[in-house]
Amino acid sequence: MSEKTVTFGDGVVLPAIGQGTWYMGEQAGQRRQEVAALRAGIDLGLTLIDTAEMYADGGAEEVVGEAIKGQRDKVYLVSKVYPWNAGGQKGIAACDASLRRLGTDRIDLYLLHWRGNYPLAETVKLMETLQQQGKIGRWGVSNLDYADMQELGQVPGGHHCATNQVLYHLASRGIEYDLLPWCQQQQMPVMAYCPLAQAGRLRTGLMNHPVVQAIAQDYNASAAQVLLAWVVSHQGVIAIPKASSIEHVAENAVALTISLSAEALLQLDQAFPAPGQKTALDVV
């Protein structure tokens, strides 16, 4: 059983499935379970953990901080800065606050959460400053479409962008038109958030679609595992599903070992075809 990995531009190799933390840290009563789920994920090899200052107003970062205590070096840590903090002193203060909540002195990959009023050039400058200060390893972006990425490439230092994190799942395939092929050509990994369409909530009928169900049965897998295996079957794509129970984390980890056949991929493609023209970037 070979597990799928994705290689970043600096040679860092990571499992193609990580752990998302959106909606974590919102209820004190859930905290112990959330920490346990993240720790179980690390033990199962899902060592990329993605969070953001936005999630639960920093609460998710605190949950992650507790989960990685004593095992920081096993984890590849990703966090995101609000657009209105993505420049100058505000950006440095935001990063410092994230580091404090995470209980660490460095974030491996720091992302602009979405585009705001700061010019991209100013955000790149901030990222370079944070790198020089040793507070972040690499930097990237989130929710930027093809045209935004072209614009970023024109900015001094913009070509150092390490990743683009966007919404991507079987029922939302717009990035396949231009953004994903371009990122693949640049050998820039794409991080897929909501790879399960928020447990199917974003797209009714996805989880219990007859084709998805039939393939799941063939592979002795769950619908969620098939959907994750589909996302990571694309070159250079990392899926970051959120799992707040140990059981769900274990299910996600198994998806790393599922390799869908050409026939299964074709069936899924026919059931949920990619759009034939440019569509607006899907965001949540």
Side-chain angles (χ1 to χ4, degrees):
M1 283 197 314
S2 71
E3 297 194 351
K4 204 161 169 3
T5 59
V6 170
T7 306
F8 277 82
D10 55 356
V12 170
V13 180
L14 293 165
I17 297 175
Q19 303 190 75
T21 60
W22 196 7
Y23 298 117
M24 282 192 184
E26 293 187 352
Q27 293 167 309
Q30 297 289 316
R31 184 168 177 137
R32 187 180 294 178
Q33 190 185 337
E34 290 168 349
V35 168
L38 288 170
R39 285 186 179 153
I42 296 166
D43 290 343
L44 290 164
L46 307 184
T47 49
L48 182 149
I49 298 180
D50 174 82
T51 190
E53 65 170 333
M54 180 188 104
Y55 302 162
D57 287 329
E61 288 181 324
E62 288 173 357
V63 170
V64 172
E66 194 177 326
I68 66 173
K69 208 171 186 174
Q71 50 181 352
R72 168 67 185 94
D73 290 341
K74 288 185 188 171
V75 173
Y76 191 83
L77 203 49
V78 185
S79 195
K80 307 180 211 62
V81 62
Y82 272 127
W84 48 87
N85 288 336
Q89 282 305 123
K90 279 183 108 172
I92 290 168
C95 184
D96 287 344
S98 285
L99 289 168
R100 204 162 46 243
R101 289 188 291 265
L102 290 161
T104 185
D105 59 357
R106 73 181 192 289
I107 293 166
D108 297 301
L109 182 57
Y110 198 43
L111 311 181
L112 167 65
H113 208 150
W114 65 90
R115 272 195 89 164
N117 293 332
Y118 275 106
L120 289 173
E122 205 160 329
T123 298
V124 172
K125 212 163 119 186
L126 163 70
M127 296 301 191
E128 288 174 342
T129 302
L130 292 169
Q131 280 179 313
Q132 284 154 9
Q133 293 176 346
K135 291 171 183 174
I136 68 170
R138 307 288 306 278
W139 64 268
V141 294
S142 179
N143 297 304
L144 263 63
D145 205 349
Y146 178 77
D148 300 306
M149 295 306 287
Q150 304 312 300
E151 192 183 324
L152 178 62
Q154 299 303 308
V155 169
H159 63 288
H160 290 305
C161 176
T163 190
N164 187 7
Q165 184 179 124
V166 290
L167 185 143
Y168 186 44
H169 56 77
L170 179 61
S172 177
R173 299 178 58 185
I175 67 166
E176 291 176 33
Y177 184 73
D178 52 8
L179 182 62
L180 179 59
W182 180 82
C183 288
Q184 288 170 330
Q185 198 187 344
Q186 306 296 314
Q187 296 185 316
M188 180 191 295
V190 166
M191 295 177 72
Y193 73 83
C194 300
L196 301 173
Q198 290 189 345
R201 287 189 296 276
L202 300 177
R203 180 64 183 261
T204 322
L206 177 60
M207 287 288 196
N208 49 19
H209 190 281
V211 171
V212 175
Q213 288 291 334
I215 291 170
Q217 213 168 344
D218 285 349
Y219 282 82
N220 196 16
S222 67
Q225 286 170 329
V226 169
L227 294 174
L228 280 179
W230 178 85
V231 169
V232 302
S233 72
H234 296 83
Q235 177 213 324
V237 177
I238 296 181
I240 44 167
K242 173 204 161 224
S244 40
S245 74
I246 290 175
E247 184 192 14
H248 269 155
V249 171
E251 192 182 324
N252 292 346
V254 172
L256 271 177
T257 64
I258 297 171
S259 190
L260 298 172
S261 67
E263 175 61 21
L265 291 169
L266 183 65
Q267 289 171 352
L268 291 168
D269 190 45
Q270 286 167 342
F272 293 93
Q277 74 278 329
K278 178 70 183 164
T279 50
L281 188 69
D282 217 347
V283 291
V284 178

